[in-house]
Amino acid sequence: MARYKVFDLETTIHEKWKRKANPFFKENWVVMRGWKNQGDSRGVMEYYPVHDRKSYLHIEPDVTMLVGFNIKFDLLWEMAQGNPDLHEFYKRGGRVWDGQYAEYLLGGQVDEVQYASLDETAPKYGGTTKIDEVKILWEQGIQTDQISEDLLTDYLLGSHEEGRNAGDIGNTEKIFLGQVKKAQSLGMLKMIQDRMDGLLCTTEMEYRGLKVDVQEAGSRLKVLTADLKQADDTLATFIPDDLPFEFNWNSPIQKSALIFGGTVKYEKRTTYLDEGTGELARLKATQVQYVLQDGRTTPIDPDSSNGQIVQARIGYKVSKSGKTKGAYKTKKVEVQGELKIKWQDFAWSLPGYTHPEPEWKLATTDYADKPTYSTGGDTIEILAGRGVPFTDALSEKNRLDKEIGTYYVRVDAKGVATGMLTCVDPEDHMLHHKLNHTATITSRLSSSDPNLQNLTRVDMDQSGKAKSEVKKMFISRFAPDGYMVEEDYSQLEVVVQGVLSKDPQLVKDLNDKIDFHCKRVALRHHITYKDAVAWCKNGVSIPALESAGLVGKNERTKAKNFSFQRAYGAGAKAIAAATGMTVEEVEALIENEERMYPGIVSFNSQVEACVIRSAVPYGAVDTETGEWKQYRRGQFVGPTGTRYTFRTWNAPEFLRKRGTTQSFSPPELKNYPVQGTGGEFVQCILGRLWRHFVALDFYGWKAFLVNTVHDCVWADTHTSVTLQVATDMRRIMQSIPEWYNTRYGMTINVPFPVDAEYGINMMDLKHVEFA
DNA sequence: ATATTATGCGCC
DNA sequence: AAAAGGCGCATAATAT
């Protein structure tokens, strides 16, 4: 009999390597484990009041689905505890349901359903709110094993009065049952189930983690630090000598003032005027002084000045009676204390090296309330052309600061370390990143702690030297007998555009494996596609164009930029600004494009119509006035049931003139379905890949899936299976049309080409040549 | 001292 | 026609 099993863990909550309640940190353990099988009238639990890394969830052979809330957390724990039932469960096709993930998808991925909590979700499905007591104890830093068994049981299973059929377990079950019904009625069940397998894949990826070559990282960090010092030294020579504070090259305000002129604030500890007296402020002090005959006092000791004693004595009062008879009279008087010193703000004006362009103006103002201007990479590049002297050193410093601080490690003045390497376990050199399933509006994944979706690409400069070597530190856990494998979809978003729009010419071009950038070059310069390919990619000369100063390779790059911007929905003005073309030129290209692929235009209008039709009121803060305002929110449902949600924004000026005050954003309308569907395809395929790896016992435990970045998948393989893994992965990844056409009844008629690479680390990759 | 916003920049 | 999409992280500056 098939049945589901709801389960949940309460663990100790030590945070380590940027993970709360980190299962990879051996001091943590599962304190209480609760579960409830389908049909049971109450939940049950196991309690482990002392450290234990062996307990695990028993999964009966007839269990077909594990149900949880943020189930990746609990599954990682079961894996860390070495649960032997889990792999068997997966091998016989066991599936999972994560209430947090389902809630996010059912809710169209809007803010309110991203990283939803059990607490806020349960009431939507007739569940109860949690016991605050436990949450408060945790917030106070109390460890889970210090919470009483009774309280923890009430929290996990519900109280005796509730028949032990509530709490986290009861709520998770209610949520699950309600969500399945809802998903069915909305036609989303299949899609959600496919994504749940994707979730199992990323759980596996987080569990396996990445192996970091800490030696490589260490020596590279040394080089970077030395390069940074050199850039800093160079920059220091451009600071005015009379500057009364240390210039901060990381401060946008200070940089703007130095380059464009402006007034900066600096702090100094110095004396100041007392507001009451108008004098320099001083500390209060008292002194015991000798009283003179006229009542004044003096600090001079009458007996201290040898020959002048007699003379001096005359002026002093002497006590006439009592214990102190014959002694000089003294008195405690107030005297001027030390000058007081405090931190104070001062202004310093800098003349600047050049004039800013108005469009570089930022929202921030300087200390004199004058505008500041952008000092980002694009601006610096322009300034280099104007002959501003330190632009090269500044660009170099920016690059190195970013590289060191984000991808290596930096310790600040307070001793707080930042950077990717702070997430690495120093014992086994493993990095367990996070792949988040409920963090984006488009249903794409995000990555954090560290973010492994933004590692610097392996780009070469003119001399063929890599600009960043970050990826070199990711090596195989099987080294020296291992290879990393990366497989990428080529031009995934263009392919998805073909799937969604079904535009005949686009579909044909995709099947013909046309180089879209060359095709655009051909169109623009009125040459044949064949000639364009020869000119742009093979360096075959076209004198007529070259005499006009055009270079084939550059023209292709321009076309590439153009198409990326179009894909993101950029308008003619923005593209012109970014590519250096005139607005008219860009408009002509857009027109060309729309004539060539009219299906894209009609698909976009279809999306817009659906969103407008489905729109309902939605309250949000007006960024212009800061006030709460009624906007609208509508949805477009993709071919698999994924819902993309859009909101209206304050309309741009040209629409306001015509009386339209708010509107949906065309770039968002164009982008979300493409970006989201691409993400969905990859996540579904992650599930297929993972099922394949499970079936083969991970190639005899010699190959693991370890990371994914929107349109690619990484694996860590033993050399004995590398080629087989790469071949299998490619086959499965390319099978998107078959999967969706069979399972969803879609009619995908474009290929999903995949490119495979492998190497001893993630930087030195070479292409896999398939027969 | 901690939280939030602005800026900038890495990726797809 | 018209409006360049989605993330996470580090740092500085400001608010509380």
Side-chain angles (χ1 to χ4, degrees), chain A residues 69 99-100 103 116-127 175 179:
Chain A
F69 198 92
Q100 188 185 57
E103 195 59 21
S117 69
L118 183 61
D119 237 6
E120 57 195 340
T121 311
K124 295 191 197 173
Y125 298 92
I175 289 169
Q179 285 178 335

Side-chain angles (χ1 to χ4, degrees), chain A residues 15 66 558 601 749:
Chain A
E15 182 172 345
L66 289 175
K558 272 202 235 169
V601 180
N749 53 355

Side-chain angles (χ1 to χ4, degrees), chain A residues 49-85:
Chain A
V50 295
H51 186 266
D52 172 289
R53 297 277 297 187
K54 290 257 165 23
S55 77
Y56 64 87
L57 179 77
H58 291 270
I59 309 170
E60 297 80 355
D62 63 339
V63 170
T64 51
M65 181 173 285
L66 289 175
V67 177
F69 198 92
N70 186 16
I71 200 169
K72 187 194 268 163
F73 173 83
D74 304 277
L75 290 172
L76 284 174
W77 265 103
E78 290 300 329
M79 295 171 89
Q81 299 274 104
N83 188 325
D85 290 1

